[in-house]
């Protein structure tokens, strides 16, 4: 059985967790999300900024309309027209006065030159067209509410303006927002004039709002370029910190694949606590485990060849000699030797096959709950029925409680059978083999203690090596393969447990093999 290979990442002082502050995932997310955050935040800021400017202009338009209406109330016709022209030029507005019947009485644009003119978009250059396209794009992204286009009514009557009609109906000032073709806002304000039913309508093309928003957007665009440049630089740096160590690991992996693994030292990158560092250490540990597994397989193959070669040589000698021997007694002896060697080879092949399949069988099997007390009781009863104990008495002492573990029943049965077989073979014919079960620190502990000569402290690890040949006196040679305890330890470790050789707890002569397995959850 191949020796257990070290698990990846199991080195002391190397926890397999990434430091959150330096985690590669976090850095990648930060580099990629930062420009998006700046862009998204900037767009919503611009929308909020534009809304704030319009709200402020609404307040101003309402106040201007109310003040102008108060100034017009009670003034003579000539004075009203003069005020409309003066205020229109000073405030860059168009003012219209409607009488109580809703007919147009005076228009500042008709009385004098217009205080402003709407932009004719047919004369716009590409920069202005691009600016309007950007306005529409931003409005779409932030899901801005659509604004009605500003169109001069053909009929110059108060009812043609919804805000004027509502102001006449309620007797209160009304404000409304429109959108000119070039994307600039048009703000209208309607206010009652005096108590005779006359109304005032002011119209302002708030070009300055659009200019302010576009100026802020230009600033945002410059900031975005700077952030994107910084993000690109950080991305390149980050990519380099990822690609360089990955190339080192790839080259090391290729050399391992080509069979030069002995020359390869996989970089562990101890200075990195991110995912790349974890990968480097995992690959390094995996390479070490692979080397250990290769060494174990080579050693196992050499041991198998050596162990099989001996009985094969003995069998060949017996068969070669048999035709030249006429003595019936000697022929019978040679035949028995040949049969013994055949049985020994068969036993070795069976045990070697079992040892080589332990890891594969456990990895494919479904873990079940196994009661070790019941398992040992059944095995002891079965051995007694088959007469396998040779006069030894097997005693089971299970402490109160459940002794249930999770594992592969057939594999755990093999461990228990090997432990009982080993204890029986080392105990005297009238000896007692004691099996005890208890729980400690979330482990089920099974101890199989014999009454034999015991195991010297310096030999307690050697008994778990493959083909270990220390056997009790008087036992026929070749009755054991020397793989039982090695297989038992491999199965225990595959179940996250241990199998060790200890002194008997009561101090009596003999050895005690202790199996520790995690308690089933």
């Amino acid at each position: 059985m191949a020796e257990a290979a070290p698990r990846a990442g199991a080195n002391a002082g190397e926890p397999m967790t990434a430091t959150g502050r330096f985690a590669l995932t976090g850095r990648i997310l930060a580099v990629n999300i930062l420009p998006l955050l700046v862009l998204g935040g900037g767009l919503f800021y611009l929308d909020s900024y534009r809304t704030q400017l319009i709200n402020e202009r609404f307040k101003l338009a309402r106040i201007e309309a109310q003040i102008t209406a108060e100034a017009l109330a009670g003034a003579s016709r000539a004075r009203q027209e003069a005020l409309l022209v003066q205020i229109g030029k000073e405030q860059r507005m168009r003012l219209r006065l409607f009488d109580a019947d809703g007919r147009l009485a005076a228009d500042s644009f008709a009385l004098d030159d217009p205080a402003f003119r709407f932009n004719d978009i047919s004369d716009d250059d590409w920069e202005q067209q691009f600016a309007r396209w950007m306005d529409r794009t931003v409005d779409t992204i932030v899901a801005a509410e659509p604004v009605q286009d500003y169109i001069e009514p053909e009929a110059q009557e108060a009812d043609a303006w919804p805000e004027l009609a509502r102001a006449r109906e309620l007797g209160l000032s009304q404000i409304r927002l429109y959108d000119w073709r070039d994307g600039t806002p048009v703000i209208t304000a309607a206010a009652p004039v005096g108590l005779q039913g006359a109304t005032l309508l002011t119209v302002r093309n708030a070009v300055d709002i659009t200019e302010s928003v576009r100026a802020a957007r230009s600033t945002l665009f410059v900031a975005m370029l700077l952030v994107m440049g910084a993000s690109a630089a950080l991305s390149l740096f980050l990519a380099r910190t990822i690609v360089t160590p990955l190339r080192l690991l790839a080259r090391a992996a290729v050399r391992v694949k080509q069979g030069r693994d002995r020359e390869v030292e996989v970089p562990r990158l101890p200075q990195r606590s991110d995912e790349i560092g974890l990968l480097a250490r995992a690959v390094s540990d995996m390479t070490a485990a692979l080397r250990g597994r290769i060494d174990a397989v080579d050693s196992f193959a050499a041991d198998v060849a050596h162990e099989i070669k001996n009985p094969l040589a003995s069998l060949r000698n017996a068969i070669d000699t048999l035709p030249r021997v006429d003595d019936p007694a000697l022929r019978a002896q040679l035949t028995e030797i040949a049969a013994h060697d055949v049985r020994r080879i068969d036993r070795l092949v069976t045990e070697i096959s079992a040892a080589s399949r332990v890891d594969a069988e456990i990895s494919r099997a479904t873990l079940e709950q196994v009661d070790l007390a019941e398992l040992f009781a059944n095995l002891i009863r079965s051995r007694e029925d088959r007469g396998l104990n040779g006069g030894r008495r097997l005693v089971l002492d299970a402490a109160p409680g459940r002794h249930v573990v999770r594992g592969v029943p057939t594999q755990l049965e093999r461990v228990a059978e090997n432990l009982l077989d080993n204890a029986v073979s080392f105990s005297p014919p009238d000896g007692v083999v004691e099996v005890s079960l208890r729980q400690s620190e979330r482990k089920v502990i099974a101890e199989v203690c014999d009454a034999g000569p015991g195991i010297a402290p310096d030999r307690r690890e050697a008994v778990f090596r493959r083909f270990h040949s220390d056997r009790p006196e008087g036992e026929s040679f070749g009755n054991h393969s020397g793989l039982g305890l090695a297989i038992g330890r491999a199965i225990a470790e595959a179940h996250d447990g241990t199998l060790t050789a200890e002194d008997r707890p009561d101090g009596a002569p003999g050895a005690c093999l202790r199996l520790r397995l995690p308690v089933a959850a």
Side-chain angles (χ1 to χ4, degrees):
M1 178 61 191
E3 295 178 2
R7 296 183 181 177
N11 293 359
E14 293 183 11
M16 291 294 288
T17 55
T19 304
R21 180 179 177 187
F22 301 103
L24 196 59
T25 304
R27 281 183 276 170
I28 293 174
L29 287 175
V31 168
N32 287 279
I33 289 178
L34 181 60
L36 297 177
L37 290 177
V38 173
L39 175 61
L43 292 178
F44 282 100
Y45 164 75
L46 288 179
D47 183 62
S48 174
Y49 177 60
R50 180 174 181 270
T51 301
Q52 182 179 359
L53 290 178
I54 290 176
N55 289 337
E56 291 295 329
R57 197 58 56 85
F58 271 17
K59 295 177 182 178
L60 177 62
R62 186 185 300 275
I63 293 173
E64 287 175 339
Q66 291 174 346
I67 292 176
T68 304
E70 290 179 2
L72 293 173
S76 64
R77 182 61 177 272
R79 179 58 180 164
Q80 287 178 337
E81 292 178 351
L83 284 173
L84 292 177
V85 172
Q86 179 183 357
I87 295 174
K89 287 185 176 181
E90 291 178 353
Q91 301 300 323
R92 295 182 58 81
M93 292 191 301
R94 182 176 185 177
L95 294 90
R96 279 176 272 207
L97 181 64
F98 294 85
D99 60 21
D101 296 327
R103 293 188 298 269
L104 179 64
D107 183 351
S108 64
F109 276 25
L111 296 173
D112 201 275
D113 294 335
F116 70 90
R117 294 185 183 277
F118 286 109
N119 178 39
D120 185 1
I121 60 174
S122 61
D123 298 332
D124 287 351
D125 56 20
W126 70 269
E127 291 183 356
Q128 293 172 315
Q129 293 175 2
F130 178 75
R132 288 200 301 275
W133 177 82
M134 284 295 297
D135 291 338
R136 293 192 297 269
T137 301
V138 172
D139 288 343
T140 302
I141 293 174
V142 300
E145 294 184 5
V147 179
Q148 182 178 344
D149 292 337
Y150 178 81
I151 300 175
E152 281 282 342
E154 294 181 3
Q156 293 295 320
E157 297 178 355
D159 291 341
W161 300 87
E163 54 270 37
L164 266 176
R166 191 164 181 78
R168 286 163 56 85
E169 177 185 354
L170 300 177
L172 298 174
S173 301
Q174 301 294 318
I175 310 296
R176 187 159 183 148
L177 176 66
Y178 293 93
D179 192 17
W180 182 240
R181 293 177 222 159
D182 63 354
T184 57
V186 177
I187 301 174
T188 63
V193 177
L195 302 177
Q196 304 302 319
T199 51
L200 171 70
L201 177 68
T202 66
V203 178
R204 171 183 276 123
N205 184 201
V207 178
D208 56 322
I209 293 179
T210 301
E211 292 174 348
S212 297
V213 172
R214 289 177 178 174
R217 189 172 62 215
S218 299
T219 303
L220 173 64
F221 182 71
V222 173
M224 272 296 304
L225 290 179
L226 294 175
V227 172
M228 290 179 66
S231 178
L234 288 174
S235 296
L236 291 174
F237 172 75
L238 188 58
R240 185 176 180 182
T241 64
I242 297 174
V243 172
T244 301
L246 287 182
R247 285 176 177 169
L248 293 175
L249 293 174
R251 284 197 290 267
V254 169
R255 296 184 68 189
V256 172
K257 182 190 71 173
Q258 292 172 345
R260 295 195 289 269
D261 55 299
R262 291 297 175 189
E263 305 171 12
V264 179
E265 286 297 331
V266 179
R268 297 184 62 81
L269 305 179
Q271 74 279 9
R272 297 190 63 152
S273 57
D274 58 12
E275 292 85 348
I276 294 294
L278 295 180
L279 174 62
R281 290 184 284 279
V283 172
S284 178
D285 291 338
M286 181 185 67
T287 304
L290 179 60
R291 289 171 178 168
R293 182 57 62 91
I294 292 173
D295 291 343
V297 169
D298 291 344
S299 176
F300 185 50
D303 290 343
V304 168
H306 178 269
E307 291 297 321
I308 292 181
K309 186 176 181 180
N310 289 337
L312 280 177
S314 174
L315 177 62
R316 183 180 59 190
N317 289 334
I319 293 175
D320 289 344
T321 306
L322 192 60
R324 300 193 296 270
V325 174
D326 296 328
D327 184 0
L330 185 54
R331 289 179 63 86
Q333 184 179 359
L334 289 174
T335 302
E336 178 58 29
I337 290 174
H340 179 273
D341 288 336
V342 170
R343 289 194 298 271
R344 183 181 174 195
I345 292 173
D346 180 68
R347 186 181 302 108
L348 278 171
V349 171
T350 301
E351 292 295 326
I352 290 168
S353 176
S356 64
R357 293 199 307 265
V358 167
D359 289 338
E361 288 182 359
I362 292 178
S363 65
R364 291 194 299 263
T366 301
L367 299 184
E368 302 176 17
Q369 291 197 351
V370 180
D371 189 332
L372 290 186
E374 182 179 345
L375 176 65
F376 274 101
N378 291 338
L379 285 177
I380 291 173
R381 186 164 51 252
S382 175
R383 290 180 65 90
E384 290 174 349
D385 293 342
R386 290 181 291 162
L388 300 180
N389 297 330
R392 288 86 169 175
R393 189 162 57 93
L394 276 61
V395 178
L396 175 61
D397 178 20
R402 297 174 72 250
H403 305 289
V404 179
V405 299
R406 283 185 60 80
V408 183
T410 56
Q411 297 290 351
L412 294 178
E413 181 179 347
R414 176 174 294 176
V415 177
E417 183 69 42
N418 287 350
L419 295 181
L420 293 176
D421 188 59
N422 183 81
V424 167
S425 66
F426 278 96
S427 295
D430 58 348
V432 176
V433 175
E434 299 179 4
V435 181
S436 64
L437 288 166
R438 69 180 190 277
Q439 277 197 35
S440 177
E441 298 178 354
R442 301 294 300 166
K443 298 280 187 181
V444 176
I445 301 176
E447 293 179 338
V448 181
C449 301
D450 60 47
I455 306 173
D458 60 345
R459 301 291 298 167
R460 288 177 182 169
E461 280 301 307
V463 299
F464 295 102
R465 289 203 297 263
R466 297 183 304 271
F467 307 112
H468 183 69
S469 58
D470 287 348
R471 301 306 306 167
E473 296 181 4
E475 182 180 278
S476 299
F477 177 75
N479 288 337
H480 291 82
S481 64
L483 288 170
L485 292 183
I487 293 175
R489 171 170 279 189
I491 294 174
E493 291 177 349
H495 286 77
D496 294 326
T498 60
L499 179 61
T500 56
E502 313 282 348
D503 288 325
R504 288 179 60 110
D506 56 8
C512 186
L513 294 174
R514 185 170 297 154
L515 174 66
R516 297 180 178 86
L517 294 172
V519 174

